[in-house]
Amino acid sequence: MLTTNKKQKSWKITATKTIDYDVIQITSVFNPKNELLLTTAGNKSSKRFVIIDEALYEMHIDAIINYFKTHNITCQFLPIPAQEQNKNIDIFSLICKELDSYGIKRRSEPIIVVGGGVLLDIVGFVASCYRRGISCIRVPTTLMGYIDAALGIKTGINFNGYKNRIGSFSASVLNILDRSFFKTLPKRHVVNGVGEIIKLAVIKDAELFKLLENDIVKCINDKFITTGNEILKMAIQDMLEELAPNLFEENLERLVDFGHTFSATLEMHDISNLLHGEAVAIDICLSSSLSHIKGILRMDELNKIIKLINDSFLPTFHEKITPKLMWESIKEKKLHRDGFQRLPLPVVIGKATFVNDIKYDEVCMAIDLLKNLADKLDSAKKNH
Amino acid sequence: MLTTNKKQKSWKITATKTIDYDVIQITSVFNPKNELLLTTAGNKSSKRFVIIDEALYEMHIDAIINYFKTHNITCQFLPIPAQEQNKNIDIFSLICKELDSYGIKRRSEPIIVVGGGVLLDIVGFVASCYRRGISCIRVPTTLMGYIDAALGIKTGINFNGYKNRIGSFSASVLNILDRSFFKTLPKRHVVNGVGEIIKLAVIKDAELFKLLENDIVKCINDKFITTGNEILKMAIQDMLEELAPNLFEENLERLVDFGHTFSATLEMHDISNLLHGEAVAIDICLSSSLSHIKGILRMDELNKIIKLINDSFLPTFHEKITPKLMWESIKEKKLHRDGFQRLPLPVVIGKATFVNDIKYDEVCMAIDLLKNLADKLDSAKKNH
């Protein structure tokens, strides 16, 4: 709406934009009988551009070609090496250039991304700013993609040593969750996704935490193929309940930021080794230790959290953790959270609060405490 | 809003985002008594990052420093060479890196951009994706910035030889229109903005067209400093009336796309010479010729349009115009307009329509016609 003041000396423009997207669980997404992948913003159309993790290319190309051929749609593939160290402006540019060469309609020929969380983030960002926004369908193939990246509207690439420094809030019209990809997923990438599930359990879902305590080892060994239905449903539901009312982060106190205060710095300092969920797991341990140091979280609860992380084959500590680096992380997050720490800390398992008064000394103490607990777990492992 | 289906097999997420921004005409924006530049999304704060056209840096730095010093705010400057050929990913990256070094709060320390349309577009894009969006205040210093770039929410950079290929729809919270910058504006940059004003007149405002016929030479010679009040008000009002109901281009039939079908290609093919408004002027002439060839626009109206462009010291033709290149432009715009040409063409002065059936032959004929008319104007000039 346009409001012009009487003397035509000023104008106010207001509008609302509707965001509307689907998350759908199916099996066999590339079975031609599933028509989900044909979804477009408008009419069916005749061209598709498919960006796929290069590690999955050989495995799925025939099925995808057959899928689109059955539906009279031509497609082109762009295999991309989708590790954290490639989540940068060069890969972004490469994808945009390939899009230029292929040529797609802005609205009715959605690009399709098939891959893990890293690739979903990159392509989501391409989709949000190529021609100021084109349609996109996301097909996560990792647990991290499935219970995290494909659920929200955050896109991004790393830049200048900072994680996701450049990005957007931009919804992909459709996100298709198909667990059959997990069959060929390396165990480490199953474990990686578990980091984000534990996060949700600690901050808002004690019931989910109990389920994890009982079943997580079984689920990981089975790669969630026939197990863990309830865990995945609860994790998705929990995550969406947190994201949906605050899609654009108008409220900067976000429970889902738990595990995301120190992790970004660790990831960027060990980019070729550490996966996102692993960094989140370490951050969960450190933040929970900090919560104990602040007198918020009881020791037995802290131990339970660290034990679950450890039982889930996730790391609880990282050699690059120093008070100085962790303090830098807090300062960086303070800018990102507009001047306040807004650090989510668990109160008990299943409930969290926000604090703004963490001091350097407390970070030092939390690190010492965690180092101690992690060392004990390590020697217990060695004695087994 | 989150809607979970009964079997928890699918989720629908819907939300609305509110867009709300101001366009305000004032004089002496850097006079400390004007508090507009202190506007923030939230509280007043203590740091500002000012990106300024390097050509304006020496002229205004003392006033800006004094302005912020008076209000107890520290600021840092980043002078940028803001020509079309620098509107690229390198300048984008450079600005982001400088922002990393300086450090600003995400919401309450808006970056400020002082410059012409090119710089407003670049910095608008930085603001939309740095940390997935930071606050921004825009201060246009050219006529093009004043009546075009600062009014809408489109941001962007050129990429891979395509104009504004990468960008976003992202509102700057405040856009401050201050005509005193025109005093030091080169005449060519005044004329440049007139291209967009003529566009608006042709497609929707016969009254504005008449005013331009009468006054444009005087206004250009005076740089709109004491003249052309009515013209500027009408142009801003016309533009905002077109933009406000369709901020995100959900409707791809946009009257304001008049003059923007062939111009982008011309600009990119002559990037170091042609200004945006000059390319738009040539496109207006070519599109209007096409409208005559299609039997839509009468010859006398076409002549009036071309005469006004010529009288305004704007070009009416360009040596790089060939049928092949112009046909490429139409094909490119067809992708951008999702599969249809949706070409705005004037019916009479002040009224336009959209066509989807332009043929290659018609483009050839329109070029020949325009070449002829432009040649006549040229020889008339020489005879004077």
Side-chain angles (χ1 to χ4, degrees):
Chain A
M1 203 180 69
L2 174 64
T3 317
T4 308
N5 88 332
K6 279 194 184 148
K7 290 177 181 169
Q8 286 191 304
K9 286 276 185 191
S10 71
W11 295 263
K12 181 176 271 302
I13 298 91
T14 52
T16 52
K17 185 175 159 57
T18 303
I19 292 91
D20 184 345
Y21 66 97
D22 289 291
V23 175
I24 300 181
Q25 279 186 322
I26 62 164
T27 49
S28 309
V29 57
F30 301 138
N31 181 332
K33 286 179 187 160
N34 272 326
E35 299 213 341
L36 267 186
L37 266 184
L38 305 178
T39 305
T40 65
N43 55 323
K44 286 186 187 185
S45 194
S46 57
K47 268 174 107 180
R48 292 295 185 277
F49 189 75
V50 181
I51 300 140
I52 184 165
D53 187 328
E54 66 173 17
L56 302 171
Y57 181 66
E58 294 290 341
M59 221 183 300
H60 298 294
I61 178 169
D62 291 342
I64 303 177
I65 289 176
N66 178 59
Y67 179 93
F68 284 117
K69 206 174 162 188
T70 309
H71 294 289
N72 253 325
I73 291 173
T74 59
C75 59
Q76 181 154 318
F77 291 87
L78 179 62
I80 292 283
Q83 290 87 40
E84 196 71 39
Q85 60 266 48
N86 300 319
K87 193 182 178 183
N88 57 33
I89 213 157
D90 296 333
I91 288 282
F92 166 84
S93 297
L94 183 151
I95 298 172
C96 291
K97 278 185 187 160
E98 292 290 329
L99 266 170
D100 276 343
S101 303
Y102 188 55
I104 50 139
K105 292 181 199 151
R106 188 165 160 209
R107 301 268 162 90
S108 55
E109 295 178 338
I111 60 173
I112 295 169
V113 51
V114 180
V118 168
L119 194 61
L120 265 55
D121 281 3
I122 302 171
V123 174
F125 184 53
V126 168
S128 79
C129 58
Y130 185 79
R131 293 184 185 278
R132 298 195 185 94
I134 53 175
S135 297
C136 183
I137 294 176
R138 298 190 293 184
V139 182
T141 58
T142 62
L143 185 59
M144 178 60 79
Y146 193 96
I147 51 91
D148 192 273
L151 304 185
I153 69 167
K154 282 163 85 162
T155 78
I157 53 173
N158 304 329
F159 179 83
N160 197 28
Y162 294 98
K163 191 167 164 74
N164 295 330
R165 178 50 48 97
I166 307 291
S168 64
F169 295 101
S170 175
S172 290
V173 59
L174 176 63
N175 304 278
I176 303 174
L177 307 187
D178 181 351
R179 251 198 277 178
S180 34
F181 291 105
F182 298 170
K183 285 176 201 153
T184 53
L185 195 62
K187 181 179 167 184
R188 189 180 171 197
H189 280 272
V190 178
V191 167
N192 185 46
V194 173
E196 291 283 357
I197 300 179
I198 295 175
K199 171 191 86 173
L200 291 163
V202 172
I203 49 159
K204 68 169 281 173
D205 196 337
E207 196 188 331
L208 176 59
F209 195 91
K210 271 185 201 136
L211 264 182
L212 290 169
E213 287 181 314
N214 289 331
D215 296 344
I216 195 61
V217 175
K218 197 173 62 191
C219 290
I220 290 171
N221 288 332
D222 177 55
K223 296 182 183 175
F224 285 92
I225 294 164
T226 58
T227 55
N229 283 338
E230 205 51 36
I231 288 175
L232 294 183
K233 273 188 199 171
M234 287 167 80
I236 294 170
Q237 185 72 26
D238 284 344
M239 181 67 106
L240 287 174
E241 279 173 10
E242 289 304 306
L243 295 181
N246 191 24
L247 280 181
F248 295 92
E249 302 189 359
E250 274 146 7
N251 179 1
L252 291 169
E253 286 195 346
R254 301 171 68 243
L255 284 179
V256 287
D257 267 353
F258 180 57
H260 290 71
T261 299
F262 309 106
S263 57
T265 306
L266 287 175
E267 276 183 88
M268 298 311 285
H269 275 75
D270 193 13
I271 197 163
S272 55
N273 286 310
L274 206 57
L275 297 178
H276 178 64
E278 294 166 350
V280 167
I282 296 163
D283 185 320
I284 289 173
C285 294
L286 183 56
S287 294
S288 300
S289 300
L290 203 45
S291 189
H292 176 71
I293 294 293
K294 292 289 286 181
I296 299 170
L297 185 71
R298 285 205 324 260
M299 193 65 200
D300 59 323
E301 298 270 291
L302 171 61
N303 276 322
K304 274 190 197 173
I305 293 168
I306 294 178
K307 181 176 185 305
L308 178 58
I309 298 269
N310 188 61
D311 288 349
S312 305
F313 313 101
L314 282 161
T316 56
F317 197 77
H318 192 280
E319 54 172 20
K320 300 233 167 164
I321 290 180
T322 63
K324 189 167 168 288
L325 195 63
M326 297 303 98
W327 190 246
E328 284 301 316
S329 306
I330 288 181
K331 284 205 289 186
E332 155 56 26
K333 286 296 168 184
K334 210 174 147 182
L335 289 177
H336 201 66
R337 296 170 189 159
D338 205 40
F340 295 92
Q341 292 177 349
R342 306 186 210 261
L343 194 76
L345 293 184
V347 178
V348 290
I349 285 162
K351 199 162 175 289
T353 187
F354 294 91
V355 301
N356 293 303
D357 62 349
I358 300 287
K359 287 172 196 64
Y360 182 79
D361 284 356
E362 293 167 331
V363 173
C364 297
M365 284 188 275
I367 292 172
D368 287 343
L369 170 60
L370 178 60
K371 178 94 179 65
N372 236 304
L373 296 171
D375 283 348
K376 273 185 204 155
L377 286 169
D378 268 355
S379 41
K381 265 187 229 170
K382 277 171 200 153
N383 294 338
H384 262 289
Chain B
M1 203 181 69
L2 174 64
T3 317
T4 308
N5 89 332
K6 278 193 184 147
K7 292 177 179 168
Q8 284 191 305
K9 287 276 187 190
S10 72
W11 295 263
K12 181 176 272 301
I13 298 91
T14 52
T16 52
K17 185 174 160 56
T18 303
I19 292 89
D20 185 345
Y21 66 97
D22 289 292
V23 175
I24 300 180
Q25 279 186 323
I26 62 165
T27 49
S28 310
V29 58
F30 301 138
N31 180 332
K33 285 179 188 163
N34 272 324
E35 299 214 339
L36 267 186
L37 266 184
L38 305 178
T39 305
T40 66
N43 56 321
K44 286 187 188 184
S45 195
S46 57
K47 268 174 108 179
R48 291 296 185 278
F49 189 75
V50 181
I51 299 139
I52 184 165
D53 187 327
E54 66 174 16
L56 302 171
Y57 180 66
E58 293 291 341
M59 219 181 300
H60 298 294
I61 179 167
D62 291 341
I64 303 177
I65 289 175
N66 178 59
Y67 180 91
F68 284 116
K69 208 175 162 188
T70 308
H71 294 287
N72 252 326
I73 291 173
T74 59
C75 59
Q76 179 153 318
F77 291 87
L78 178 63
I80 292 284
Q83 290 86 41
E84 195 71 38
Q85 59 266 47
N86 300 320
K87 194 183 178 183
N88 56 33
I89 213 157
D90 295 334
I91 288 282
F92 167 84
S93 297
L94 183 150
I95 298 171
C96 291
K97 279 185 187 159
E98 292 291 328
L99 265 170
D100 276 343
S101 303
Y102 188 54
I104 50 139
K105 291 182 202 152
R106 188 165 160 208
R107 301 270 163 89
S108 55
E109 294 178 340
I111 60 172
I112 294 169
V113 51
V114 181
V118 168
L119 194 60
L120 266 53
D121 281 3
I122 302 172
V123 175
F125 184 53
V126 168
S128 78
C129 59
Y130 185 79
R131 293 182 186 277
R132 298 197 184 91
I134 54 175
S135 296
C136 183
I137 293 175
R138 298 190 293 185
V139 183
T141 57
T142 63
L143 185 59
M144 178 61 80
Y146 193 96
I147 52 91
D148 192 274
L151 304 186
I153 68 167
K154 283 163 84 162
T155 77
I157 54 173
N158 304 329
F159 178 83
N160 197 27
Y162 294 97
K163 191 168 164 70
N164 295 331
R165 178 50 48 97
I166 307 290
S168 63
F169 295 102
S170 175
S172 290
V173 60
L174 176 62
N175 303 279
I176 303 173
L177 307 186
D178 180 351
R179 252 198 276 177
S180 35
F181 290 106
F182 298 169
K183 285 176 203 156
T184 53
L185 195 62
K187 182 180 168 184
R188 189 180 171 198
H189 281 272
V190 178
V191 167
N192 185 45
V194 173
E196 292 282 357
I197 300 179
I198 295 176
K199 171 191 87 173
L200 291 163
V202 173
I203 49 160
K204 69 169 281 173
D205 197 336
E207 195 189 330
L208 176 59
F209 195 91
K210 271 186 202 135
L211 265 182
L212 289 168
E213 286 182 315
N214 290 332
D215 295 345
I216 195 60
V217 174
K218 195 173 62 190
C219 289
I220 290 171
N221 288 332
D222 177 55
K223 297 183 183 176
F224 285 91
I225 293 164
T226 58
T227 55
N229 282 338
E230 205 52 35
I231 288 174
L232 294 183
K233 272 187 198 172
M234 287 167 80
I236 293 170
Q237 185 72 26
D238 284 344
M239 182 66 106
L240 286 174
E241 280 173 10
E242 290 304 306
L243 295 180
N246 191 26
L247 280 181
F248 294 92
E249 302 189 0
E250 275 145 7
N251 179 2
L252 291 169
E253 285 194 348
R254 301 171 68 243
L255 284 178
V256 286
D257 267 352
F258 181 57
H260 290 70
T261 299
F262 309 107
S263 56
T265 307
L266 286 174
E267 274 182 89
M268 297 311 284
H269 275 76
D270 194 14
I271 198 161
S272 54
N273 287 310
L274 206 56
L275 296 179
H276 178 64
E278 294 166 350
V280 167
I282 296 163
D283 185 319
I284 290 172
C285 295
L286 183 55
S287 295
S288 301
S289 299
L290 203 44
S291 188
H292 177 69
I293 294 293
K294 292 289 286 180
I296 299 169
L297 185 71
R298 284 204 325 260
M299 192 64 198
D300 59 323
E301 299 270 292
L302 171 61
N303 276 321
K304 274 191 198 173
I305 294 168
I306 294 177
K307 181 177 185 307
L308 178 59
I309 298 269
N310 188 61
D311 287 351
S312 305
F313 313 100
L314 282 161
T316 55
F317 197 78
H318 193 281
E319 53 172 22
K320 300 233 169 164
I321 290 180
T322 63
K324 188 167 168 286
L325 195 63
M326 296 303 99
W327 190 246
E328 284 300 316
S329 306
I330 288 183
K331 284 206 289 186
E332 156 55 26
K333 285 297 169 185
K334 208 173 147 182
L335 289 178
H336 201 66
R337 296 170 189 160
D338 204 39
F340 295 92
Q341 292 176 350
R342 307 187 210 260
L343 194 74
L345 293 184
V347 179
V348 291
I349 285 163
K351 198 163 175 291
T353 187
F354 294 91
V355 301
N356 293 303
D357 62 350
I358 301 287
K359 287 173 196 62
Y360 182 79
D361 284 356
E362 293 168 331
V363 173
C364 298
M365 286 189 276
I367 292 172
D368 287 344
L369 170 61
L370 178 60
K371 178 94 179 66
N372 235 304
L373 296 171
D375 283 348
K376 273 185 204 156
L377 286 169
D378 268 357
S379 42
K381 263 187 232 173
K382 278 172 199 153
N383 293 339
H384 260 289

